[in-house]
């Protein structure tokens, strides 16, 4: 769950989210059926019984082997953020070999929801509340298209300012 207030405090406005990255501090193994889905929501907290629809599938990859450092996934379909809703990010994968990958995290003021151990990937109907939110880098295009549009990389917990913005 990413709050609209987090995105707007970083300077983002309504527009297209085009990528999502995670920083891994330890990487071993390969995952299959890697997908990222995003949805707008009015919810401000998650529970262990959290399930949400509708979601837009923005990224799929048949196999993925994380590497140390930033792993950025460029969306095949941009997600249109309305500028005022909180967003749900659903990242799902299946382990195909034994291994452990550690993703950088920080402690926000609320819990995320983690579904683990399901044979079918993200088919578990309950999850485990975790206090550490993954450090994410969200990229997107906001404002007008063409010259003058903003390309954002939002990285809470990673940079002191919370985000990096460049114009193109």
């Amino acid at each position: 769950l990413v709050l609209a207030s987090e995105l707007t405090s970083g300077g983002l406005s309504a527009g297209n989210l085009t990528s999502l990255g995670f920083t891994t501090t330890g990487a071993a193994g390969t995952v299959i059926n890697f997908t990222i889905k995003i949805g707008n929501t009015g919810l401000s907290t998650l529970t262990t019984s959290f399930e949400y629809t509708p979601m837009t599938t923005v990224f799929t990859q048949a196999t993925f082997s994380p590497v140390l450092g930033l792993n950025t996934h460029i969306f095949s379909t941009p997600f249109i953020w309305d500028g005022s809703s909180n967003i749900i990010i659903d990242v799902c994968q299946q382990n195909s070999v034994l291994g452990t990958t550690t993703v950088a995290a920080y402690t926000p003021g609320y819990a995320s929801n983690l579904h683990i151990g399901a044979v079918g990937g993200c088919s578990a109907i309950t999850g485990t509340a975790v206090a550490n939110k993954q450090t994410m880098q969200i990229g997107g295009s906001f404002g007008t298209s063409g010259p003058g549009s903003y390309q954002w990389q939002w990285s809470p917990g990673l940079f002191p300012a919370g985000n990096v913005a460049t114009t193109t």
Side-chain angles (χ1 to χ4, degrees), residues 1-3 41-46 86 88 109-111:
L1 178 67
V2 179
L3 302 176
T41 183
L43 297 174
S44 58
T45 60
L46 300 179
N86 298 329
I88 298 289
Y110 58 92

Side-chain angles (χ1 to χ4, degrees), residues 1-165:
L1 178 67
V2 179
L3 302 176
S5 61
E6 292 177 303
L7 297 173
T8 57
S9 70
L12 275 71
S13 59
N16 292 333
L17 303 182
T18 58
S19 66
L20 179 63
F22 299 102
T23 300
T24 57
T25 57
T30 300
V31 295
I32 58 173
N33 299 327
F34 186 78
T35 62
I36 300 173
K37 298 176 183 178
I38 303 178
N40 287 311
T41 183
L43 297 174
S44 58
T45 60
L46 300 179
T47 66
T48 57
S49 60
F50 175 77
E51 290 292 328
Y52 182 77
T53 57
M55 301 286 280
T56 300
T57 300
V58 294
F59 183 84
T60 60
Q61 189 169 345
T63 61
F64 172 59
S65 297
V67 296
L68 289 176
L70 183 63
N71 292 262
T72 301
H73 310 286
I74 308 295
F75 299 164
S76 55
T77 304
F79 178 77
I80 301 170
W81 179 51
D82 63 16
S84 60
S85 295
N86 298 329
I87 60 172
I88 298 289
I89 300 174
D90 178 13
V91 178
C92 181
Q93 80 255 348
Q94 293 174 313
N95 289 326
S96 62
V97 296
L98 294 176
T100 301
T101 297
T102 305
V103 177
Y106 68 106
T107 305
Y110 58 92
S112 297
N113 189 19
L114 175 65
H115 286 260
I116 57 174
V119 174
C122 294
S123 62
I125 59 172
T126 60
T128 303
V130 294
N132 296 326
K133 185 174 185 176
Q134 292 178 338
T135 300
M136 296 175 283
Q137 188 173 78
I138 299 175
S141 299
F142 304 89
T144 59
S145 60
S149 66
Y150 292 96
Q151 299 293 320
W152 288 92
Q153 292 181 330
W154 179 79
S155 302
L158 185 60
F159 300 113
N163 64 73
V164 175

